[in-house]
Amino acid sequence: MKKSTLLLLLLLLSFLWINLYAQTSGIKLSESYNNLNWQQFAAKAETELNISFFYYPDSIPDIAITFSHPNNDLIFVLNENFKQYHIKASADTKGNIFMNKENVIKTKLPDDFFSLSMSNKLNETSAKEIIDRDEFLKTNHEYISKTFVVGNKKAGVYISEAAVTGKILSFNDSLPLPGATIYIDQLEKGAVTDNNGFFTLAVPKGKYNLKVRNVGYEETSFKVEVLSSGSQDFYILKKVFLMETVEIRSEADHNVKSVQMGVEKISIKDIKEIPTVLGERDIIKVALLLPGVQSIGEGSSGFNVRGSPADQNIFYISDVPVYNTSHLFGFFSAFNSDAISEFKLYKSSIPAKYGGRLSSIFDIQPWQGNMEKFGARGGISPITARLLAEGPIIKNKLSYMAGFRATYSDWVLNFVNVPEVKNSKGNFGDGIVNLTYDLNARNRIKLFGYYSYDNINLASKVNNSYENTGASINWYHSFNKNNGFDFSFASSIYNFTEDNYEYSVSAYSLNYELQHKQINFDFTSKPSENHTLNYGISSILYNLDNGRQIPYGEESLIIPTVLGEEKGLESGIFVSDQWTVNPLLTVYAGLRYNYFAYLGPNDVFKYRENASKIPENIIDTLHFSDNQIIKDYKGLDYRFGITYLINQDVSVKAGYNRMHQYIFMLSNTIAVSPTDKWKLSNYNIEPMRGDQFSLGFYSNFENQKYELSIEGYYKKTENLVEYKDGAELILNKYPEQDVLQGKLDAYGIELMLRKTSGKLNGWVNYTWSKSTVLVDNKITGEQNNFGIAYPANYDKPHSINVVANYKISKRVSFSGNVVYSTGRPITYPTSIYYQDGQPLLNYSLRNEYRIPDYFRMDASFKVEGNLRKRKWLHGSWIFSVYNITGRNNAYSVYFKSEEGYISGYKLSIFAVPIFSVTYDFKLGNYAD
Amino acid sequence: MLINKLKYDIIFPLALLLLNVVLTTCEERFTPDLDPKYENVMAVEGEITNQPGPYIVKLSSSVSFDVRQAVPLTGYFVEIEDDMGNSEVLTEIEKGVYTTSLYGMQGVVGRQYKINISATDGRTYTSDFELLRPPPSIDSVYVKVDYIVDNSLPYDLAGYRFYVNTQTPENEKSYYMWKLNATYEYSSDLIIRWMFDGQLHQFTNSDSLRYCWLTKDIYEYFLFNNENLLTTNVEGFPLHFVPVDVRDLSIRYSLLTTQYSLSKDAYIFWSNVKEQNENLGNLYTKQPFQIRGNLYNVNNGSEPVLGYFMVAGKSEKRIFVNRPNDPVVMRYGECKLVEQDYKNFGALFISSPAEWPEYATFDNNGISAYPPQECLDCQEKGGTIVKPDFWISD
């Protein structure tokens, strides 16, 4: 007789190979079973009836089991009694009874399920698997199923080592799982799946327990016997009870064991309930709750990572760079979170395959269409409506996903009885589509498209619109067990136009466009078990149209101004190696050689050497023809990382990065404004160079439930682009005349504690940091702030974030945030002086003061619809309150003259608690 | 261009406005602790133009926000110098106010001027030579009825918007600044019938305190340049707006527009000052910074000196406009006799001698009333009963 409790997922795995009876068992219960409590009932039945129960230990309430004759069939009785708890019983032919929460059970698998799993197999041996319930084995901690045999004896006769390859897939939807870990305890050896769920693991021939882990999935053990090299896919099951809860969890051992540091990975379901402004889910606002990520203020676009300006970050969504990531000036982000599966933020340890940004890489993975069946979901919040559809085009081969979001604020504005508002428009929208094609187990092709737009108009004054358009194609190919290849081509266009017709004589229309085309060849290979090599090349072609200002309307007398076009080619060749020196020591080293060429056609000024770049110092104008190299810059990037495991749960890591950046944002506003342009390093403006040193201590404890990390960093940026005071940049033909290049120094310590599982989960972090800018060119004598170093606009020395989620019951959960930070630096007017009888403000040195500290608490409450299995639509409601305490956090402080008297004012944007309700729906039941 | 700078003052409130449909922003008084080290910085104001002098230079020091007046700097040596070797020392006619003599230096177009200042302790300040540019002439200043939206009102508020047209004969880039000075005629709402100065007198000369003229500087200056225009002329540039909810347009209004042709440096100074003084807390304006003027300490370049000594071509234009006609409805408050005014009549006889003479009136039925004095004596509203010399009646 077997023990009655067993992990459900193993059963579901084994469902692949067995047929199940549906709703009756053929076992009739005698009256002696009537009125027994479940525990007693189960014990008695297992002893007397030669059956076994399989269920989650705590999932079945210990109720009294009652029945009446003649309805005494075992399964019928169980179903009747547990119906109110949404628990269903089913049985197979061998006397195994499965007790499941209704949403998960699959009493009968899809007809083609078997063929699906077959088709994904590389090796025929696994098809021969026949799982016998009697062969479940007990190891130290878990039950594992029958042995999976890899390879065959014949092929393995002359070898001692073999390579196991395969995919880790989700049992629920057969999607591959990137970033899953495969680990063999006996060998202290493991592997991580790549972006397409592939893994390679070299092991001596033998029998092993293979553990598979992935965020949001059950940790699963498989018994594997390796006879020779071969392939085996493994299916793991989504965590049922933690579905859609905040459960921030990187790859299980990631925090301690991986060689990366300063990398945050967040899956979209982790953020579903985090309360946000107006119920609009927003990955960027969530990123701001992570340590070392700051913004200038609520409703400002972009963010600042570890004391660096916003233009030192790049956002990639499926390899497409997105240059304007905000909607409505930054109040919302340009990514519809429904259509995203996860994002990764590299604050340090930026892999060698990425280059071109000094501070961070924000890599967003879009949602992939379900390969099996059609699905749809969507929702409405006070601001937007969302809709997403996904499904197979060729089942298990080709799937699509399309997600759209748009505002309906114009419609709302029509009800406001103020002409200025009524005639105003402010709308935005975005769409994400992709196609995923699994040609075969070795090839996968993805097509992706992205679009976002904003259109903001104030009646009869100014019209602003901007849009991002991008597309990419990605081909993943696995040559053999040790070599993979990833090719991508992406194209992205960012443009904006502004029409200003306040004064008809000078009414104008202004435009800007940036085109980014990027090609990547990225190879991964494992020459030996201890080394993982990553090498490749990437190349970016930039085409910038700095825009033209043309007359708007017939009365306008504006002289058309053409700001010119620019072209640049940024190429990189890189190689990196991750070397597991021994089970405790891992080293990562990478080199990236960058070559940037600023290309013609263009005319550039040559200024007197070692003199300030002002018109008086122009000594020559140089003409360049198409594709002629005007100026090139070469730079060598370094990456270095080392991880030493003190024990399995504690590690120390250190890292060093050097990066180069050849594009920057032309901006001297306090926060990034929607008409800020990107500009290339050129003949007169040198590329920026950044170095970052980091050191960290990591620990997981309480069985991986808690993750603790302490990271310190020191960053140095050379050639930081700053501007002369009061510079006019919008219509500037020669920005180099207003640019001053300086230095940025930043350092800080980040403390992070996460609880990754359980009813209560979330994180707490504290960051202490400093970021200082110095512009003092000793050669030309040019200075900012009179040559005195000043805090960067986003420098917030102390910052605390608390994010918590508490699952009250299966249908109800509660989430909350607490956010504190030091007020941002500000340049205050500190005295007044008179001109013409009027008081004027005299400002302090730059950023000498700070606005009041920031504090906010938010809460949200999520209620799921009922858990009935048979339903076509499942809905959920999120009620949230942003800024519960209604604290008037300062957005800015300003001074104005009132009747000749200067008074200070504090402006708060979200000054009252903001309630909002969001409704989400999806086809199918809770679990689908 | 000026327009560029103002843009986000408009756009940003819109973004807030959209959000305001569902939520509230908040603006409240806030007084941060400020370091007093920025007080007592020397500020210079003054100009030399092609118009006849005397030219005035005022020296003062910066003060904290709660001081409502400039603190004058007296006893300085102040001198204006041109590039031909001519100079004139200014005399201090009142504290901190220095002036050239009546028939002294006269600004000449095409010459360059600078200012030299010395303190008694030896600190010496100077500016660099700036060219006195030819004065552009104002072609016309005119008004159009305009409406502004005030969310607190159930109607759009009407008023006059002033516009300027300027002819610039030569084909060159011009940097304009306009300063405005307004004078308006208004009347008291009720007619004086009684005067009390210890004794009650019938007041027959009732028109004498009925009409007043009030002159004031418009505390806003306007800037524009033709750097990016096809024409050197400025046509229909909008100046300030006078709403109908104040008495300014009740009878007749006169606007004196002073137009300056500035150097580019002076223009940049004033546009920076304007931008920094008009910023109402949005983050899409330029990073603010300490604006220093065109004077510097000869021996210590790091000492801040505030204010600008302007060298500019200057021209003026005065226009008159009458009260707007239908359909514009005046919306300022007017005095009407109420019950309390009748009851108060007795209080006239116990009014304080310090306030005498006090005025009172009676209505069409001959019933006397003692309303607030500003309803009777137009001078109470700040004007004068002396008609200005330049005033041209309709």
Side-chain angles (χ1 to χ4, degrees):
Chain A
M1 194 48 42
K2 290 140 302 214
K3 180 105 175 172
S4 57
T5 56
L6 193 52
L7 288 176
L8 173 66
L9 62 107
L10 295 173
L11 302 176
L12 289 172
L13 273 171
S14 46
F15 285 178
L16 290 170
W17 297 279
I18 46 173
N19 290 314
L20 290 174
Y21 277 116
Q23 304 300 336
T24 56
S25 58
I27 299 168
K28 299 286 177 189
L29 294 172
S30 68
E31 187 54 35
S32 62
Y33 286 88
N34 211 344
N35 262 321
L36 287 180
N37 279 347
W38 161 247
Q39 301 273 353
Q40 302 162 324
F41 178 93
K44 187 173 157 80
E46 287 198 332
T47 347
E48 296 175 5
L49 302 173
N50 197 24
I51 57 171
S52 308
F53 286 105
F54 295 89
Y55 58 93
Y56 275 108
D58 301 324
S59 65
I60 310 293
D62 198 17
I63 56 164
I65 311 291
T66 59
F67 57 90
S68 56
H69 296 280
N71 298 324
N72 60 346
D73 179 86
L74 173 64
I75 295 297
F76 180 83
V77 168
L78 291 174
N79 280 335
E80 281 300 298
N81 278 280
F82 287 110
K83 195 191 268 171
Q84 56 178 314
Y85 302 100
H86 307 289
I87 292 166
K88 262 189 109 60
S90 52
D92 66 4
T93 50
K94 301 200 168 177
N96 295 316
I97 314 293
F98 307 105
M99 303 286 290
N100 290 315
K101 289 289 181 182
E102 188 173 64
N103 46 298
V104 182
I105 193 160
K106 294 189 181 192
T107 51
K108 189 172 186 309
L109 292 161
D111 290 340
D112 54 358
F113 200 69
F114 190 61
S115 58
L116 150 78
S117 57
M118 294 294 291
S119 71
N120 281 340
K121 303 256 175 286
L122 291 175
N123 194 302
E124 288 164 16
T125 56
S126 58
K128 296 179 193 136
E129 297 294 336
I130 294 164
I131 295 296
D132 185 345
R133 286 257 155 346
D134 293 323
E135 292 187 13
F136 277 106
L137 301 169
K138 188 172 189 291
T139 62
N140 289 339
H141 301 296
E142 307 94 0
Y143 289 90
I144 57 168
S145 61
K146 161 119 172 78
T147 306
F148 288 83
V149 179
V150 176
N152 54 65
K153 280 195 175 136
K154 201 175 153 196
V157 171
Y158 299 109
I159 58 162
S160 57
E161 282 235 327
V164 181
T165 57
K167 272 196 209 175
I168 302 298
L169 302 139
S170 163
F171 177 80
N172 306 62
D173 47 20
S174 300
L175 292 180
L177 300 172
T181 53
I182 299 99
Y183 194 75
I184 296 175
D185 275 330
Q186 296 104 301
L187 301 173
E188 288 192 338
K189 197 168 207 186
V192 177
T193 58
D194 64 15
N195 283 336
N196 298 289
F198 287 97
F199 70 90
T200 309
L201 188 62
V203 292
K205 288 190 294 183
K207 288 185 178 180
Y208 304 106
N209 284 343
L210 187 97
K211 267 191 215 163
V212 180
R213 292 171 175 166
N214 192 45
V215 183
Y217 285 79
E218 295 293 349
E219 178 176 320
T220 312
S221 289
F222 298 91
K223 180 110 178 151
V224 177
E225 184 173 8
V226 180
L227 299 175
S228 73
S229 293
S231 235
Q232 176 65 53
D233 293 350
F234 296 99
Y235 289 82
I236 58 172
L237 188 73
K238 267 185 190 160
K239 271 195 184 151
V240 177
F241 283 9
L242 289 172
M243 192 96 52
E244 295 188 319
T245 60
V246 170
E247 182 234 347
I248 294 298
R249 174 155 204 172
S250 337
E251 292 93 332
D253 289 353
H254 162 283
N255 185 46
V256 168
K257 294 184 181 170
S258 78
V259 73
Q260 291 180 330
M261 37 193 322
V263 179
E264 309 280 357
K265 177 180 167 186
I266 286 192
S267 136
I268 209 68
K269 69 182 173 47
D270 299 335
I271 67 165
K272 271 204 165 155
E273 287 149 16
I274 290 181
T276 52
V277 179
L278 298 170
E280 199 60 31
R281 255 170 243 139
D282 192 328
I283 57 170
I284 291 180
K285 298 289 181 276
V286 169
L288 289 173
L289 297 168
L290 296 169
V293 185
Q294 292 290 358
S295 73
I296 285 174
E298 285 171 313
S300 64
S301 58
F303 58 52
N304 305 95
V305 176
R306 289 189 168 173
S308 291
D311 65 354
Q312 293 185 7
N313 310 317
I314 191 164
F315 291 78
Y316 281 114
I317 179 164
S318 197
D319 298 321
V320 172
V322 178
Y323 279 84
N324 189 331
T325 55
S326 61
H327 279 314
L328 208 63
F329 299 97
F331 285 103
F332 307 105
S333 84
F335 305 106
N336 170 5
S337 60
D338 269 3
I340 292 168
S341 73
E342 64 173 38
F343 70 82
K344 249 184 186 173
L345 173 64
Y346 298 89
K347 298 185 289 188
S348 65
S349 291
I350 296 175
K353 67 172 180 168
Y354 292 112
R357 287 297 185 286
L358 303 189
S359 179
S360 83
I361 311 286
F362 197 100
D363 190 15
I364 301 167
Q365 287 301 322
W367 189 262
Q368 277 184 24
N370 191 317
M371 287 275 186
E372 299 229 312
K373 60 173 186 175
F374 174 76
R377 58 201 143 97
I380 51 172
S381 78
I383 296 290
T384 63
R386 289 166 277 124
L387 194 64
L388 180 144
E390 57 175 330
I393 295 172
I394 305 168
K395 212 162 190 181
N396 298 319
K397 277 264 179 213
L398 177 60
S399 74
Y400 69 92
M401 185 284 293
F404 300 97
R405 174 172 71 154
T407 45
Y408 38 80
S409 56
D410 281 356
W411 175 80
V412 175
L413 291 178
N414 283 333
F415 290 92
V416 181
N417 200 16
V418 177
E420 204 167 26
V421 178
K422 208 169 181 169
N423 298 331
S424 295
K425 299 220 180 305
N427 55 54
F428 62 80
D430 49 52
I432 297 178
V433 293
N434 68 24
L435 283 178
T436 308
Y437 187 27
D438 279 340
L439 268 83
N440 50 46
R442 290 189 184 277
N443 290 287
R444 160 171 281 199
I445 291 173
K446 289 194 271 191
L447 286 170
F448 170 82
Y450 174 78
Y451 178 71
S452 82
Y453 77 93
D454 268 68
N455 196 339
I456 297 160
N457 177 281
L458 181 69
S460 74
K461 293 273 167 56
V462 184
N463 187 40
N464 263 60
S465 59
Y466 52 94
E467 58 182 9
N468 292 293
T469 314
S472 69
I473 178 165
N474 178 292
W475 171 36
Y476 178 79
H477 175 71
S478 157
F479 292 109
N480 54 41
K481 62 183 165 69
N482 286 329
N483 292 287
F485 157 70
D486 205 346
F487 162 80
S488 71
F489 174 74
S491 172
S492 174
I493 301 171
Y494 165 59
N495 58 36
F496 67 76
T497 59
E498 174 181 286
D499 304 325
N500 185 316
Y501 34 103
E502 281 174 280
Y503 170 38
S504 59
V505 173
S506 63
Y508 64 82
S509 179
L510 181 72
N511 70 303
Y512 172 81
E513 183 169 291
L514 164 77
Q515 290 186 23
H516 175 130
K517 292 187 191 74
Q518 183 164 359
I519 189 161
N520 293 327
F521 293 92
D522 183 358
F523 296 84
T524 308
S525 86
K526 285 195 91 160
S528 79
E529 182 46 33
N530 295 335
H531 290 272
T532 305
L533 279 176
N534 183 218
Y535 53 93
I537 54 172
S538 76
S539 198
I540 303 168
L541 178 66
Y542 298 103
N543 287 92
L544 276 69
D545 179 356
N546 290 317
R548 62 206 69 207
Q549 187 193 36
I550 52 169
Y552 186 91
E554 284 176 6
E555 283 172 59
S556 178
L557 294 169
I558 286 275
I559 303 171
T561 307
V562 179
L563 295 174
E565 298 187 1
E566 292 186 278
K567 204 193 290 185
L569 184 68
E570 179 184 335
S571 299
I573 177 162
F574 62 90
V575 57
S576 72
D577 182 23
Q578 182 167 324
W579 176 29
T580 310
V581 183
N582 62 47
L584 299 180
L585 184 67
T586 309
V587 175
Y588 175 88
L591 277 179
R592 182 184 176 94
Y593 176 75
N594 300 295
Y595 177 76
F596 175 77
Y598 186 67
L599 299 173
N602 229 328
D603 295 341
V604 298
F605 290 145
K606 193 178 168 74
Y607 295 85
R608 209 176 305 268
E609 239 173 89
N610 296 332
S612 52
K613 294 182 174 61
I614 51 173
E616 293 73 29
N617 285 333
I618 295 172
I619 51 174
D620 199 2
T621 305
L622 308 174
H623 307 279
F624 293 90
S625 57
D626 196 13
N627 290 334
Q628 199 180 348
I629 295 170
I630 297 172
K631 178 92 178 175
D632 59 4
Y633 294 99
K634 303 168 185 86
L636 191 58
D637 282 6
Y638 311 102
R639 311 280 192 277
F640 183 73
I642 183 163
T643 299
Y644 179 73
L645 285 179
I646 293 168
N647 62 44
Q648 290 302 306
D649 289 323
V650 181
S651 68
V652 179
K653 304 181 195 180
Y656 167 64
N657 276 1
R658 164 168 283 190
M659 313 279 289
H660 290 82
Q661 182 168 341
Y662 304 94
I663 188 168
F664 61 93
M665 198 186 265
L666 204 57
S667 168
N668 63 344
T669 48
I670 299 168
V672 171
S673 104
T675 48
D676 284 341
K677 299 168 181 177
W678 291 84
K679 179 117 184 74
L680 297 173
S681 295
N682 60 23
Y683 189 76
N684 289 304
I685 301 172
E686 290 184 50
M688 296 188 270
R689 192 185 77 208
D691 291 291
Q692 180 174 187
F693 302 87
S694 41
L695 181 69
F697 165 87
Y698 307 80
S699 173
N700 291 0
F701 50 95
E702 287 249 336
N703 205 10
Q704 315 281 339
K705 240 190 214 167
Y706 293 91
E707 296 179 1
L708 178 73
S709 65
I710 300 167
E711 277 185 32
Y713 63 89
Y714 172 68
K715 277 168 103 166
K716 235 170 126 64
T717 301
E718 297 286 336
N719 294 330
L720 180 79
V721 179
E722 278 282 328
Y723 305 88
K724 290 179 184 169
D725 285 335
E728 199 53 81
L729 298 176
I730 291 172
L731 278 177
N732 199 326
K733 276 189 179 177
Y734 314 109
E736 71 263 17
Q737 296 179 359
D738 280 307
V739 162
L740 295 177
Q741 296 197 270
K743 289 178 173 35
L744 176 90
D745 270 311
Y747 47 91
I749 295 174
E750 297 166 357
L751 268 80
M752 176 78 153
L753 176 68
R754 278 179 176 173
K755 183 168 183 288
T756 55
S757 55
K759 274 192 159 182
L760 175 70
N761 53 60
W763 71 79
V764 182
N765 60 54
Y766 167 75
T767 306
W768 174 80
S769 64
K770 210 76 192 102
S771 175
T772 314
V773 179
L774 175 68
V775 181
D776 185 11
N777 189 327
K778 298 277 189 234
I779 297 166
T780 64
E782 289 171 307
Q783 300 174 327
N784 251 359
N785 200 39
F786 315 104
I788 301 165
Y790 52 90
N793 284 346
Y794 39 80
D795 175 52
K796 298 177 175 178
H798 300 281
S799 157
I800 298 171
N801 298 299
V802 181
V803 173
N805 177 267
Y806 185 72
K807 191 101 186 166
I808 297 165
S809 75
K810 247 187 116 172
R811 287 180 56 192
V812 182
S813 64
F814 174 82
S815 297
N817 306 332
V818 180
V819 178
Y820 166 83
S821 71
T822 317
R824 71 172 166 89
I826 187 169
T827 310
Y828 272 150
T830 44
S831 62
I832 45 177
Y833 65 103
Y834 284 82
Q835 293 278 289
D836 220 15
Q838 293 185 52
L840 297 177
L841 304 170
N842 176 33
Y843 281 77
S844 67
L845 290 178
R846 185 146 167 184
N847 288 344
E848 200 177 331
Y849 291 87
R850 290 183 177 277
I851 63 171
D853 290 355
Y854 183 92
F855 174 81
R856 197 188 77 227
M857 272 171 73
D858 317 316
S860 78
F861 198 66
K862 181 175 181 181
V863 182
E864 292 280 353
N866 67 52
L867 302 178
R868 266 201 298 272
K869 182 188 173 192
R870 286 173 206 284
K871 58 197 280 191
W872 67 278
L873 192 72
H874 178 81
S876 63
W877 294 90
I878 298 178
F879 302 89
S880 70
V881 190
Y882 185 84
N883 195 10
I884 296 179
T885 58
R887 181 182 150 95
N888 296 352
N889 282 307
Y891 173 76
S892 65
V893 172
Y894 62 94
F895 294 77
K896 62 182 176 188
S897 172
E898 290 166 324
E899 293 152 11
Y901 201 58
I902 306 281
S903 337
Y905 284 89
K906 184 176 91 175
L907 177 70
S908 309
I909 301 185
F910 303 116
V912 292
I914 297 156
F915 293 88
S916 60
V917 181
T918 304
Y919 175 73
D920 289 327
F921 62 87
K922 60 181 174 183
L923 294 185
N925 63 28
Y926 173 83
D928 276 333
Chain B
M1 264 193 308
L2 170 69
I3 302 283
N4 285 335
K5 293 172 190 149
L6 290 178
K7 168 178 59 191
Y8 292 114
D9 293 337
I10 294 153
I11 272 276
F12 181 70
L14 169 74
L16 293 184
L17 209 60
L18 295 175
L19 293 171
N20 262 328
V21 174
V22 278
L23 57 95
T24 327
T25 62
C26 159
E27 196 183 68
E28 62 187 3
R29 285 263 179 156
F30 178 75
T31 313
D33 286 334
L34 298 172
D35 192 327
K37 70 182 173 187
Y38 293 101
E39 292 160 27
N40 299 315
V41 177
M42 182 166 88
V44 180
E45 58 179 307
E47 60 180 41
I48 181 163
T49 70
N50 56 303
Q51 302 276 335
Y55 307 112
I56 291 171
V57 172
K58 291 183 187 170
L59 301 184
S60 57
S61 63
S62 65
V63 291
S64 70
F65 292 155
D66 43 14
V67 179
R68 302 198 71 157
Q69 264 182 339
V71 173
L73 294 176
T74 73
Y76 280 65
F77 167 84
V78 181
E79 178 194 54
I80 298 175
E81 183 186 337
D82 73 6
D83 57 346
M84 310 284 282
N86 306 308
S87 65
E88 182 179 345
V89 177
L90 283 69
T91 43
E92 187 170 5
I93 51 163
E94 58 180 271
K95 280 191 170 180
V97 180
Y98 302 80
T99 176
T100 56
S101 60
L102 192 53
Y103 302 105
M105 183 177 261
Q106 156 81 54
V108 178
V109 170
R111 282 197 194 162
Q112 298 188 64
Y113 295 88
K114 66 183 264 192
I115 189 169
N116 302 309
I117 298 173
S118 306
T120 46
D121 63 5
R123 282 174 293 131
T124 308
Y125 304 90
T126 189
S127 65
D128 292 331
F129 277 116
E130 270 189 26
L131 179 70
L132 204 163
R133 295 159 65 95
S137 65
I138 299 177
D139 191 46
S140 60
V141 176
Y142 57 95
V143 293
K144 281 187 204 165
V145 173
D146 197 1
Y147 295 85
I148 58 168
V149 176
D150 181 340
N151 290 347
S152 64
L153 298 175
Y155 49 82
D156 292 352
L157 184 62
Y160 276 145
R161 166 90 56 200
F162 288 79
Y163 296 87
V164 62
N165 287 352
T166 284
Q167 300 287 339
T168 312
E170 76 255 68
N171 190 20
E172 78 174 49
K173 299 305 171 195
S174 299
Y175 302 92
Y176 299 104
M177 172 154 113
W178 292 278
K179 289 186 180 180
L180 307 174
N181 177 280
T183 305
Y184 61 90
E185 183 181 2
Y186 64 96
S187 66
S188 55
D189 297 326
L190 302 171
I191 295 165
I192 302 173
R193 303 292 186 185
W194 303 111
M195 181 186 78
F196 183 79
D197 55 4
Q199 283 184 317
L200 190 67
H201 307 277
Q202 195 139 27
F203 193 79
T204 47
N205 190 12
S206 56
D207 272 1
S208 65
L209 295 178
R210 184 111 202 256
Y211 295 96
C212 279
W213 288 265
L214 190 144
T215 298
K216 63 181 180 188
D217 280 330
I218 306 295
Y219 278 155
E220 186 181 6
Y221 59 89
F222 299 86
L223 295 167
F224 187 67
N225 71 68
N226 61 10
E227 254 185 26
N228 294 309
L229 288 192
L230 284 167
T231 167
T232 51
N233 294 339
V234 176
E235 281 174 38
F237 183 80
L239 300 174
H240 84 311
F241 176 80
V242 186
V244 295
D245 64 348
V246 290
R247 220 164 259 267
D248 300 29
L249 297 179
S250 59
I251 298 175
R252 190 166 164 82
Y253 186 97
S254 174
L255 187 75
L256 175 65
T257 306
T258 305
Q259 176 171 289
Y260 292 89
S261 174
L262 305 178
S263 66
K264 188 170 183 178
D265 285 346
Y267 182 87
I268 290 169
F269 172 84
W270 287 109
S271 73
N272 283 333
V273 165
K274 187 178 176 80
E275 185 174 4
Q276 291 198 354
N277 281 275
E278 287 176 357
N279 175 19
L280 295 183
N282 91 55
L283 300 186
Y284 305 121
T285 50
K286 285 183 220 157
Q287 174 73 45
F289 57 97
Q290 202 176 87
I291 301 171
R292 296 184 179 177
N294 62 338
L295 276 88
Y296 52 91
N297 184 327
V298 177
N299 301 312
N300 175 11
S302 65
E303 181 189 334
V305 183
L306 305 171
Y308 208 94
F309 175 71
M310 283 208 292
V311 180
K314 177 177 173 181
S315 59
E316 291 179 341
K317 179 103 184 170
R318 177 177 292 284
I319 64 151
F320 292 88
V321 289
N322 288 332
R323 174 188 171 107
N325 298 321
D326 285 343
V328 177
V329 183
M330 299 308 270
R331 303 243 183 216
Y332 59 88
E334 282 188 70
C335 295
K336 292 220 167 62
L337 289 178
V338 295
E339 200 172 333
Q340 189 61 36
D341 299 333
Y342 295 108
K343 284 186 183 161
N344 259 359
F345 189 68
L348 180 63
F349 298 94
I350 52 165
S351 58
S352 153
E355 290 166 4
W356 293 343
E358 284 284 282
Y359 303 101
T361 188
F362 54 73
D363 65 13
N364 295 340
N365 304 321
I367 303 168
S368 293
Y370 180 38
Q373 292 297 290
E374 60 166 357
C375 300
L376 299 165
D377 177 358
C378 66
Q379 297 177 103
E380 294 283 327
K381 284 193 159 71
T384 164
I385 55 171
V386 181
K387 185 194 282 187
D389 293 339
F390 58 78
W391 195 261
I392 301 166
S393 296
D394 191 12

